[in-house]
Amino acid sequence: MGRCIEVAINLPGIVAVRDSKEQAGPVLTFAPAAWSAFTAAATDGVLARTV
């Protein structure tokens, strides 16, 4: 099963994330600074991967 997310960075003051296969499902929202910190940590390999 594929894991797909959509990230909307074009909304004022928030970053919205959802499962692209469940478009009517829940949406997680983050402050832009928090999302930036998360993606930087993921890119740098700081986050532990779990399955």
Side-chain angles (χ1 to χ4, degrees):
M1 175 188 302
R3 295 183 183 125
C4 301
I5 63 167
E6 293 178 327
V7 179
I9 58 172
N10 61 338
L11 303 169
I14 64 167
V15 176
V17 181
R18 71 177 179 183
D19 182 340
S20 64
K21 295 177 302 311
E22 298 287 337
Q23 294 185 359
V27 175
L28 299 174
T29 58
F30 301 90
W35 182 254
S36 181
F38 168 74
T39 57
T43 300
D44 293 342
V46 175
L47 303 176
R49 182 172 187 234
T50 61
V51 180

